[in-house]
Each structure stands twice: as C-alpha cells, then as structure tokens.
C-alpha cells in the first residue's frame, strides 16, 4: 500500500531533550516536507526536500533540523525542544512534477508535547 | 514569498445548501492551487486542484474556480452532506528563483453541516 509513515504518533518530552520524528514513504517520491499544524495558523512548512541531499528552509525552520540521505526517509530532528514546539506535525511527500507540485500525500501526524 | 489568505475561518450551512470558501494569494507567479480536506483527527487529503491555465474544474459536488487577474480562487460544495463537515485548506504553489517549488497553505476553514 502506498503510504507515508511517521513515528511516533504521540510523544511527550521535556525541554531540552533531543528527539527525532521519523518519516518514510514507499512511493519513490522526490519531494518531501514537514509541516506543523497549530490552531488558527493552518499548516506551516518547516523544511522541505526536492531530492536526496537537497533540503531547504520553509516558513518556520527555527529549532528544527532535517536530513535526506535516502530518497524514502526524511527525519525531523529537534535538538533542544522547547514548549513552543508543542504542536501537531505532518510529514508529506509528492512526485514534484514540473510546473507545479503533484498532490501531497500526508502521514498520520505526530502530536508532540514539550513540557 | 507567497501569502495565502483564507475566509471564512468557520462556516455553518444547512444540509443540502451550498458552501463557498475563498482564498487570495499574493504572488502572480503561483501556478498550482490545491484544496485539502482534513476530517477530525485525520490527515489532510487532496480533494481537488487546479492549475493556472484553467479557470474552473468540477468533480461531482465539488468545484474550484480561479481568477488569475484578481489572484483569488474558491471552493464550491453543492448539496452539502454531513460527511462534508471538516477543515478545508487552500494552498498555492510557487517556483522560487532557485527553481524550488514551495506550497503555502491558508489558515483553514472549519465547515459544519447542520442536519
């Protein structure tokens, strides 16, 4: 089944404790992206990747890191989480056709709470 | 960068009536405009999209219109049903000066269908 898999689904952690949220897709998509969803703010892009070893900042990259060593994986790293990073996070991927993005396929989301 | 504004933030309609959600974008170079539906506790999923060379697109009860001159696009849902209750996000895709494609989302509209 074609899908985007992110783990964990729920995560509670404390300020300053490094964490990684994994994301994997099995559709051979070139484009992958991370979003955070907060009430009243919609989906804001954190980082995105057009292909392996190519990453770029989105609208809210501060406090986050990503890597794209393989086409299928795009982990999100919080080196020193803070309470303002408490949010619902979505990973997404697409084929990234020329002339406009092909439809995004989202993972199930990770609800992160930082205390 | 691109800025997408979405209105209204909440919308309640009687079952069977029509619903309209409107979005405006800032950069005339944007060329791809998808709409995503997010049911409670689930991931966003694409319901319809339109490219800048098309003025209108329909899929059963759902239609999207695009006015490039005014830089706005709208989602129209006719004969609404209870299962249409969800949060709807519009988005606009822009190719940057570096050749990267970036998708910017609106802040979402919570649609409630009243039985």
């Amino acid at each position: 089944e074609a899908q985007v898999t992110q783990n964990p689904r729920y995560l509670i952690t404390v300020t300053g404790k490094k964490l990684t949220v994994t994301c994997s897709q099995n559709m051979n998509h070139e484009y992958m992206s991370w979003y955070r969803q907060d009430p009243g703010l919609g989906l804001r892009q954190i980082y995105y990747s057009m292909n392996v070893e190519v990453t770029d900042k989105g609208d809210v990259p501060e406090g986050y890191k990503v890597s794209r060593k393989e086409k299928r994986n795009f982990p999100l790293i919080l080196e020193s989480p803070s309470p303002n990073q408490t949010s619902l996070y979505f990973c997404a991927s697409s084929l990234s056709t020329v002339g406009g993005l092909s439809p995004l396929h989202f993972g199930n989301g990770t609800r992160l709470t930082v205390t | 960068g691109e800025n997408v504004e979405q209105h209204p933030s909440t919308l309640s309609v009687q079952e069977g009536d029509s619903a309209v959600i409107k979005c405006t974008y800032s950069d005339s170079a944007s060329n791809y405009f998808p709409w995503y539906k997010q049911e409670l506790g689930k991931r966003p999923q694409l319901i319809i999209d339109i490219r800048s060379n098309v003025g209108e697109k329909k899929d059963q009860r759902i239609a999207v219109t695009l006015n490039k001159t005014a830089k706005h696009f709208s989602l129209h849902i006719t004969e609404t049903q209870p299962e249409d209750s969800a949060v709807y996000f519009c988005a606009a895709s822009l190719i940057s000066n570096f050749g990267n494609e970036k998708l910017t989302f609106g802040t979402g509209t919570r649609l409630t269908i009243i039985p």
Side-chain angles (χ1 to χ4, degrees), chain B residues 2 11 39 54 74 78:
Chain B
E2 177 65 278
L11 179 62
E39 297 177 355
V54 175
S74 300
T78 59

Side-chain angles (χ1 to χ4, degrees), chain A residues 6 16 26 31 39 42-43 46 49 62 72-74 76 80-81 84 86 88 98 104 110:
Chain A
Q6 33 178 135
N26 62 0
Y31 180 94
L43 291 157
I46 303 170
S49 170
E62 295 78 19
R72 61 183 295 123
N73 295 323
F74 190 47
L76 179 70
S80 182
N84 64 12
T86 292
L88 177 60
V98 173
L104 278 174
T110 296

Side-chain angles (χ1 to χ4, degrees), chain B:
Chain B
E2 177 65 278
N3 181 48
V4 177
E5 294 190 359
Q6 182 172 348
H7 299 281
S9 58
T10 60
L11 179 62
S12 296
V13 300
Q14 290 291 141
E15 182 177 352
D17 288 349
S18 295
V20 181
I21 302 170
K22 299 180 180 181
C23 289
T24 61
Y25 59 99
S26 59
D27 198 317
S28 57
S30 289
N31 61 359
Y32 172 65
F33 307 92
W35 286 87
Y36 288 83
K37 175 184 180 182
Q38 186 181 27
E39 297 177 355
L40 188 63
K42 297 193 175 179
R43 73 185 84 184
Q45 291 191 297
L46 180 77
I47 54 171
I48 195 167
D49 57 9
I50 191 168
R51 299 191 184 273
S52 59
N53 58 349
V54 175
E56 184 176 1
K57 183 177 179 180
K58 287 184 180 180
D59 183 3
Q60 300 182 349
R61 297 186 297 108
I62 294 173
V64 57
T65 58
L66 172 64
N67 184 326
K68 288 173 58 180
T69 303
K71 291 187 284 187
H72 68 70
F73 56 112
S74 300
L75 177 71
H76 305 255
I77 306 174
T78 59
E79 301 173 12
T80 53
Q81 301 170 3
E83 54 263 37
D84 295 329
S85 293
V87 176
Y88 292 81
F89 293 99
C90 64
S93 175
L94 177 66
I95 298 177
S96 74
N97 292 336
F98 301 100
N100 293 337
E101 293 175 295
K102 187 175 182 305
L103 192 66
T104 302
F105 284 87
T107 51
T109 297
R110 182 175 298 279
L111 174 63
T112 302
I113 307 303
I114 304 167

Side-chain angles (χ1 to χ4, degrees), chain A residues 33-97:
Chain A
S33 182
W34 277 101
Y35 295 88
R36 60 178 289 173
Q37 184 176 8
D38 302 288
L41 298 177
L43 291 157
R44 294 181 293 167
Q45 190 176 51
I46 303 170
Y47 269 94
Y48 64 100
S49 170
M50 299 295 290
N51 214 324
V52 175
E53 301 293 0
V54 180
T55 63
D56 208 349
K57 295 178 180 179
D59 298 313
V60 289
E62 295 78 19
Y64 304 94
K65 287 174 58 178
V66 293
S67 68
R68 189 89 182 274
K69 292 183 171 57
E70 309 164 278
K71 199 170 189 177
R72 61 183 295 123
N73 295 323
F74 190 47
L76 179 70
I77 304 157
L78 284 71
E79 294 272 3
S80 182
S82 62
N84 64 12
Q85 292 178 300
T86 292
S87 186
L88 177 60
Y89 292 86
F90 285 100
C91 179
S93 71
S94 78
L95 275 174
S96 185
T97 57

